[in-house]
């Protein structure tokens, strides 16, 4: 078990009707900027709840953050912050809105060109304080210090990170997820599942509790995922999915263990070059990655088969084959397709993706840093 230190400062406010709590979570003397996406919050009552909660605050709003948030949209929000003198940012939406808000919060206090935060990993040391009202359980962005922003004109989808970007609080009300389109519910479940897998399916280091946390999340998602689609207003189902997604990427389960983010980084190129949703990219790449890395991941694949999927019989190779097949079948059962060909992507599209990985220095991925561009190409071939 590896050494670690852990501090997650985000206060989580969970449950139905909890949006009203933002009133007491944001100081009354701070000017607030409410940041949101394409308008879903105006149709599902979330905007009204936020407005009511902020009745005693001075606030303005910035809408139009796109899924896979754009750098230029973030720059527009920055201009508005300067004009309005906003001092506290409230993200109301999914991971895209939360990520954009983090970027904006950091860029507002950054000396220099904010693009370098993305292109050169320039350090964000200070940020405006921010909170999140989460409407889509998926990314964990509501209680982690990470974000991903896309520069559309160059097709670069780039991650950033700073401890200064942890939200101060996140409101998780499962009832606001009732209005999600099925596709987004499914994408979110796949995303949370793959976050957990990428902190679990590596090699054993004797971190038993971490393994049990991860297996618990995976089983909760397998049990509740299909029900989230078939019983869309089942509160406990949505609550378990929402809590699982937060726990999958708030730092806890990744402590003390090796991590493998190769599926995610390859997935980012699929979004940037072909426009797939984040969850779709993961459903495509993960089974191919499991297959390609089955020898190095053998022990953990067998553990996953046994502890998560209850696969007990057969030879080791048969159990691993079944675990990979059942993972794919789980994603498909949610309606998320798992082959590049399902999205009209063929073998000729692989070399540009490999070039993009090289451009972004994603050349030594995985828990052993041995997912080179050649290995990524082999993985993508398995995904056709
Ligand atoms: O734009 P609006 O109108 O809000 O509509 C959104 C959007 O069209 C809609 N939606 C959200 N909540 C809704 C709703 N529609 C109806 N009812 C609701 N309650 O859903 C669509 C997708 O939203 P988006 O925020 O893009 O989805 P998600 O939460 O999956 O976020 C994806 C982004 O997060 C990044 C991804 O790369 C992608 O850019 N990630 C961020 C991570 C992090 N910060 O730690 C980690 C992840 O691995 C991921 O990379
Ligand atoms: Zn993800």
């Amino acid at each position: 078990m590896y050494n670690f230190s852990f501090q997650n400062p985000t206060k989580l406010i969970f449950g139905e009707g909890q949006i009203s709590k933002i009133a007491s979570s944001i100081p009354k003397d701070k000017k607030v900027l409410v940041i949101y996406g394409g308008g879903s919050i105006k149709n599902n009552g979330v905007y009204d709840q936020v407005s009511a909660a902020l009745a005693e605050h001075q606030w303005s709003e910035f809408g139009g953050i796109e899924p896979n948030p754009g750098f230029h949209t973030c720059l527009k929000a920055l201009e508005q912050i300067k004009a309005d003198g906003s001092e506290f940012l409230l993200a109301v939406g999914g991971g895209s809105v939360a990520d954009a808000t983090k970027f904006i919060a950091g860029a507002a206090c950054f000396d220099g060109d904010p693009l370098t935060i993305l292109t050169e990993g320039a350090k964000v040391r200070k940020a405006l304080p921010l909170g999140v009202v989460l409407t889509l359980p998926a990314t964990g962005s509501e209680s982690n210090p990470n974000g991903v922003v896309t520069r559309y004109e160059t097709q670069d989808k780039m991650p950033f990170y700073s401890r200064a970007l942890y939200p101060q609080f996140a409101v998780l009300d499962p009832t606001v997820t009732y209005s999600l389109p099925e596709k987004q519910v499914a994408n979110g479940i796949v995303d949370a599942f793959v976050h957990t897998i990428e902190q679990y399916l590596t090699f054993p280091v004797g971190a038993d509790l971490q393994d049990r946390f991860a297996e618990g999340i995976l089983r909760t998602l397998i049990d509740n995922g299909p029900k989230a689609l078939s019983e869309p207003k089942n509160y406990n189902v949505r609550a378990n999915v929402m809590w699982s997604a937060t726990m999958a990427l708030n730092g806890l389960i990744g402590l003390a263990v090796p991590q493998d983010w190769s599926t995610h980084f390859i997935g980012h190129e699929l979004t940037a070059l072909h426009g797939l949703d984040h969850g779709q990219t993961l459903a495509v790449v993960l089974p191919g990655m499991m297959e390609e890395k089955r020898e190095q991941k053998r022990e953990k694949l067998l553990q996953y088969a046994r502890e998560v999927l209850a696969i007990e019989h057969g030879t080791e190779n048969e159990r691993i084959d079944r675990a990979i097949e059942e993972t794919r079948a789980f994603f498909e059962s949610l309606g998320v397709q798992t082959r590049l060909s399902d999205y009209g992507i063929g073998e000729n599209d692989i070399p540009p993706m490999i070039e993009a990985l090289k451009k972004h220095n994603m050349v030594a991925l995985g828990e052993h840093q041995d997912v080179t561009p050649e290995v990524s190409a082999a993985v993508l071939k398995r995904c056709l």
Side-chain angles (χ1 to χ4, degrees):
M1 192 165 144
Y2 297 168
N3 294 349
F4 64 85
S5 61
F6 182 55
Q7 183 179 26
N8 183 322
T10 305
K11 175 180 173 183
L12 300 176
I13 306 169
F14 192 97
E16 182 165 13
Q18 297 301 296
I19 292 177
S20 61
K21 296 269 171 66
I22 59 179
S24 53
S25 303
I26 305 175
K28 291 272 178 335
D29 59 346
K30 297 282 183 213
K31 282 189 185 172
V32 182
L33 181 66
V34 173
I35 300 178
Y36 58 93
S40 65
I41 64 163
K42 296 212 165 158
N43 301 323
N44 62 9
V46 173
Y47 181 87
D48 294 341
Q49 290 187 58
V50 169
S51 306
L54 292 178
E56 290 176 19
H57 285 80
Q58 202 183 333
W59 62 282
S60 50
E61 62 186 74
F62 180 89
I65 302 290
E66 54 278 78
N68 306 304
F71 173 68
H72 286 286
T73 310
C74 295
L75 292 187
K76 283 190 204 147
L78 272 177
E79 282 168 22
Q80 190 172 327
I81 287 172
K82 283 195 194 122
D84 294 353
S86 312
E87 302 162 284
F88 192 103
L89 306 185
L90 182 64
V92 185
S96 294
V97 173
D99 283 8
T101 302
K102 288 176 183 174
F103 184 76
I104 295 160
C109 302
F110 186 75
D111 294 326
D113 181 356
L115 184 60
T116 60
I117 297 170
L118 302 173
T119 52
E120 295 169 24
K123 195 79 201 129
V124 172
R125 296 185 196 285
K126 262 176 42 193
L128 291 178
L130 68 123
V132 178
V133 174
L134 188 70
T135 63
L136 197 174
T139 63
S141 184
E142 65 279 6
S143 71
N144 72 36
N146 313 322
V148 195
V149 163
T150 299
R151 202 174 169 216
Y152 279 97
E153 66 271 33
T154 52
Q155 292 182 308
D156 292 320
K157 182 168 177 171
M158 296 167 285
F160 59 95
Y161 153 91
S162 163
R163 281 202 64 84
L165 299 176
Y166 271 106
Q168 289 194 348
F169 65 84
V171 180
L172 307 167
D173 176 346
T175 65
V176 310
T177 73
Y178 293 167
S179 59
L180 278 167
E182 275 193 8
K183 176 176 132 167
Q184 297 301 344
V185 176
N187 280 341
I189 292 164
V190 172
D191 195 19
F193 192 90
V194 178
H195 292 159
T196 311
I197 285 278
E198 294 213 282
Q199 298 165 88
Y200 169 73
L201 200 68
T202 55
F203 54 88
V205 292
D208 293 353
L209 183 59
Q210 300 312 100
D211 282 358
R212 297 296 93 76
F213 283 148
E215 289 155 2
I217 295 171
L218 296 170
R219 285 166 59 172
T220 305
L221 290 169
I222 290 172
D223 289 348
N224 288 276
K227 286 189 213 150
L229 299 177
S230 62
E231 303 168 33
K233 295 212 169 154
N234 184 326
Y235 178 83
N236 280 334
V237 166
R238 289 297 171 110
N240 278 303
V241 168
M242 200 167 208
W243 185 222
S244 296
T246 297
M247 289 300 291
L249 200 52
N250 67 0
L252 181 72
I253 69 165
L255 302 173
V257 293
Q259 302 190 14
D260 166 17
W261 290 97
S262 51
T263 292
H264 263 74
F265 288 125
I266 297 172
H268 286 176
E269 306 305 350
L270 269 169
T271 298
L273 294 176
H274 297 282
L276 271 66
D277 294 343
H278 178 62
Q280 293 172 330
T281 70
L282 306 175
V284 168
V285 178
L286 182 69
M289 185 62 73
M290 285 169 142
E291 189 59 67
E292 182 66 23
K293 289 301 206 179
R294 63 186 286 148
E295 288 314 321
Q296 279 172 315
K297 292 182 183 292
R298 173 169 287 267
E299 276 191 70
K300 274 307 201 45
L301 274 166
L302 289 166
Q303 184 179 327
Y304 167 64
R306 184 179 68 246
E307 300 295 335
V308 178
L309 303 171
I311 299 171
E312 304 275 359
H313 302 293
T315 64
E316 285 192 3
N317 279 338
E318 283 165 357
R319 278 178 272 153
I320 291 173
D321 285 344
R322 247 186 84 192
I324 298 172
E325 267 166 39
E326 287 194 18
T327 306
R328 186 186 290 286
F330 173 58
F331 297 156
E332 296 271 352
S333 77
L334 299 171
V336 185
Q337 292 175 302
T338 60
R339 293 278 178 194
L340 285 171
S341 48
D342 295 325
Y343 301 91
I345 299 170
E347 194 155 4
N348 292 342
D349 297 310
I350 293 177
M353 284 192 262
I354 300 305
E355 287 314 306
L357 282 166
K358 288 186 192 160
K359 176 179 167 196
H360 298 136
N361 204 23
M362 298 294 170
V363 293
L365 303 174
E367 65 272 29
H368 302 289
Q369 293 85 50
D370 61 353
V371 180
T372 59
E374 293 70 33
V375 176
S376 294
V379 169
L380 286 166
K381 278 197 186 139
R382 292 185 186 276
C383 302
L384 286 168

